[in-house]
Amino acid sequence: MLRAAVEVADAGGLAGLTIRSLAQELGAKPMSVYYHVAGKDEILDGIIDHVFSQIELPSADGDWRTELRRRAASARDVLRRHRWAISLMESRTSPGPATLRHHDAVIATLRAAGFSLEMTAHAYALIDSYIYGFALQEAALPFEGPDTVADVAESIMEQFDADAYPHLVELATGYYFKTSYDFGDEFDFGLNLILDGLSAALPAESAEDRESRPAPDYRRPGTLNP
Amino acid sequence: MLRAAVEVADAGGLAGLTIRSLAQELGAKPMSVYYHVAGKDEILDGIIDHVFSQIELPSADGDWRTELRRRAASARDVLRRHRWAISLMESRTSPGPATLRHHDAVIATLRAAGFSLEMTAHAYALIDSYIYGFALQEAALPFEGPDTVADVAESIMEQFDADAYPHLVELATGYYFKTSYDFGDEFDFGLNLILDGLSAALPAESAEDRESRPAPDYRRPGTLNP
DNA sequence: AGCAGTTTCGTACAAAGTACGATACGTTGT
DNA sequence: ACAACGTATCGTACTTTGTACGAAACTGCT
């Protein structure tokens, strides 16, 4: 049921998910849907929780940076496969069991890493803001792969006076169009910066731990996908 | 025209913004609207750009951290006043002039700060992901002020087995419910961490500049709103 | 067979976007 | 003054949406 709803949404976007289209996907008539759910809102709540259930949970046992990186990558991946989920998150306010379970696992990982309650709240807000915001921007990109970046930008620039946005043009022509730029590659940079910053907030990291990890040198180019 | 559309959306959400409600706000009949715009999509594109125009632009002249902080605070403020704008950003893919102008100003500030083209792209993706993601989470909060946090959490917990989410409960009871927790206060913490991390990526920051700014100590509590 | 609970569906209505064409209004040339 | 024309408004009506209401079909059990 929810699976079918997710499939319809994946195929035709949120606007394509109607009671009628869902019924057709299920091989039934529209009003039959209403025996199983109270209304469309319940469907929306359901598919959001279904999406959350697809995100890999971090383990509190492993290295916290590795675990949080893994769940961040998984979350981004899931949100990329279900773009419509991002805008739904804003309007749905009653979290489902999978959503709560997910939150619990992340908090557990942060606590096991040694963060205080206060710092856990800070870290969680920061990390999830980044993940969701990145997914939001990725979903807003008018292109799919790294192939048509230039085309889209060109069509945009044609409509306006390119001279009015010199720095935007410089960045586009001087970097985005060079080689095969993929916005998705930006994800790791920001996530690493955030995790490094959070490491500094750990109260009791031993000296050996700190030394075993070389200081990040963001000045060195080409370190996005080592 | 766009102003009226924004007002209607502010009052009744995106769902409340219909051609008919907009016409009523304007003191006209529904079909009169169609003389001025091609369709509802054009209205949506228009109000998104209108929202962007309300965000304060950073100046390339001032201190880049101060400027970016100011524009981040302004962006968050604007997105808080117009919650519906966040989900619109995902679907609208043709940026308006105010949007492009905004992007240009931010890029200019980063470039003036000394960031390379590559690092500017990284920094911009990171900062905006954080801002949008934070706004998205803020919009998803089921409460308005810091007063009803406990109430909402309680009603959620009642529906499920509280024992199933021990860490979530610990964080809620041990921190969120203590004092008057305000999620909005988390914003500064993350933004500062990000800006500090980006500072480390500046290639040519002079020694004096670095020394004039004390090293951040995230371990010290209560430094969110100095 | 008969009955109760479960599941499906046919009909119908309200609200949404908007196509189409008619109407009214302001300006201009004569 | 008056006709003509571009600008702006609106009335009607069609389509698509969610869903209320009640009838119909099906299922399992005695």
Side-chain angles (χ1 to χ4, degrees), chain A residues 99-110:
Chain A
T99 305
L100 293 175
R101 205 168 122 73
H102 180 88
H103 288 156
D104 193 71
V106 174
I107 294 170
T109 303
L110 287 170

Side-chain angles (χ1 to χ4, degrees), chain A residues 82-98 100-105 107-108 111 116-137 139-142 152 156-157 159-160 164-171 174-176 181 183 186 189-191 193-198 200-204 210 216-224, chain B residues 82-98 100-105 107-108 111 116-137 139-142 152 156-157 159-160 164-171 174-176 181 183 185-186 189-191 193-198 200-204 210 217-224:
Chain A
H82 311 294
R83 307 162 95 77
W84 43 265
I86 302 166
S87 48
L88 257 191
M89 290 185 15
E90 184 207 12
S91 47
R92 308 286 95 197
T93 54
S94 57
L100 293 175
R101 205 168 122 73
H102 180 88
H103 288 156
D104 193 71
I107 294 170
R111 293 288 286 150
S116 68
L117 281 181
E118 181 183 7
M119 194 54 61
T120 296
H122 294 171
Y124 200 11
L126 168 55
I127 294 173
D128 270 22
S129 290
Y130 178 65
I131 293 175
Y132 296 146
F134 194 91
L136 183 65
Q137 291 198 81
L141 292 180
V152 173
I156 291 177
M157 286 305 174
Q159 296 177 11
F160 300 100
Y165 316 106
H167 303 93
L168 189 55
V169 169
E170 183 202 24
L171 184 60
Y175 184 63
Y176 289 146
Y181 175 74
F183 181 78
E186 302 281 10
F189 171 84
L191 186 61
L193 187 147
I194 288 172
L195 292 179
D196 285 340
L198 290 174
L202 267 183
R210 217 186 294 269
D217 181 3
Y218 300 112
R219 268 156 285 177
R220 191 159 46 93
T223 54
L224 282 185
Chain B
H82 311 294
R83 307 161 96 80
W84 43 265
I86 302 165
S87 48
L88 258 191
M89 290 184 15
E90 185 208 12
S91 46
R92 308 285 96 195
T93 53
S94 57
L100 294 175
R101 205 169 122 74
H102 181 88
H103 288 156
D104 192 71
I107 293 170
R111 292 289 285 152
S116 67
L117 281 181
E118 180 182 8
M119 193 53 60
T120 296
H122 294 171
Y124 201 11
L126 168 54
I127 294 174
D128 269 24
S129 290
Y130 178 65
I131 293 176
Y132 296 147
F134 193 91
L136 182 66
Q137 291 198 82
L141 291 179
V152 173
I156 292 176
M157 286 305 175
Q159 297 177 10
F160 301 100
Y165 316 105
H167 303 93
L168 189 55
V169 169
E170 183 202 25
L171 185 61
Y175 185 63
Y176 289 147
Y181 175 75
F183 181 78
D185 291 340
E186 303 282 10
F189 171 83
L191 187 60
L193 187 147
I194 288 172
L195 293 180
D196 286 340
L198 290 176
L202 267 184
R210 216 185 298 267
D217 182 3
Y218 300 112
R219 268 155 285 178
R220 191 158 48 92
T223 54
L224 282 185

Side-chain angles (χ1 to χ4, degrees), chain B residues 143-151 181:
Chain B
F143 35 80
E144 286 291 323
D147 36 26
T148 57
V149 185
D151 297 342
Y181 175 75

Side-chain angles (χ1 to χ4, degrees), chain B:
Chain B
M1 168 81 194
L2 290 181
R3 221 185 316 274
V6 168
E7 275 177 30
V8 173
D10 286 342
L14 254 196
L17 174 59
T18 70
I19 297 291
R20 288 172 171 84
S21 64
L22 174 57
Q24 191 174 16
E25 173 82 15
L26 293 167
K29 297 302 161 73
M31 290 318 287
S32 304
V33 172
Y34 282 91
Y35 178 76
H36 305 275
V37 296
K40 192 170 184 180
D41 278 354
E42 197 173 294
I43 297 177
L44 297 179
D45 282 335
I47 59 179
I48 276 287
D49 205 55
H50 186 77
V51 164
F52 262 96
S53 75
Q54 292 183 291
I55 303 176
E56 287 179 29
L57 297 180
S59 159
D61 297 332
D63 173 65
W64 66 275
R65 282 185 221 83
T66 307
E67 292 301 317
L68 290 184
R69 232 189 297 267
R70 193 165 55 80
R71 95 102 192 183
S74 174
R76 181 172 91 94
D77 197 53
V78 167
L79 291 177
R80 202 153 42 118
R81 287 205 305 271
H82 311 294
R83 307 161 96 80
W84 43 265
I86 302 165
S87 48
L88 258 191
M89 290 184 15
E90 185 208 12
S91 46
R92 308 285 96 195
T93 53
S94 57
T99 306
L100 294 175
R101 205 169 122 74
H102 181 88
H103 288 156
D104 192 71
V106 174
I107 293 170
T109 303
L110 287 170
R111 292 289 285 152
F115 288 102
S116 67
L117 281 181
E118 180 182 8
M119 193 53 60
T120 296
H122 294 171
Y124 201 11
L126 168 54
I127 294 174
D128 269 24
S129 290
Y130 178 65
I131 293 176
Y132 296 147
F134 193 91
L136 182 66
Q137 291 198 82
E138 228 177 354
L141 291 179
F143 35 80
E144 286 291 323
D147 36 26
T148 57
V149 185
D151 297 342
V152 173
E154 237 174 278
S155 74
I156 292 176
M157 286 305 175
E158 275 173 12
Q159 297 177 10
F160 301 100
D161 185 9
D163 297 339
Y165 316 105
H167 303 93
L168 189 55
V169 169
E170 183 202 25
L171 185 61
T173 60
Y175 185 63
Y176 289 147
F177 298 168
K178 293 286 176 68
T179 72
S180 63
Y181 175 75
D182 187 348
F183 181 78
D185 291 340
E186 303 282 10
F187 188 67
D188 287 337
F189 171 83
L191 187 60
N192 284 330
L193 187 147
I194 288 172
L195 293 180
D196 286 340
L198 290 176
S199 291
L202 267 184
E205 195 180 32
S206 69
E208 309 98 76
D209 286 351
R210 216 185 298 267
E211 278 170 15
S212 70
R213 190 176 63 259
D217 182 3
Y218 300 112
R219 268 155 285 178
R220 191 158 48 92
T223 54
L224 282 185
N225 284 321

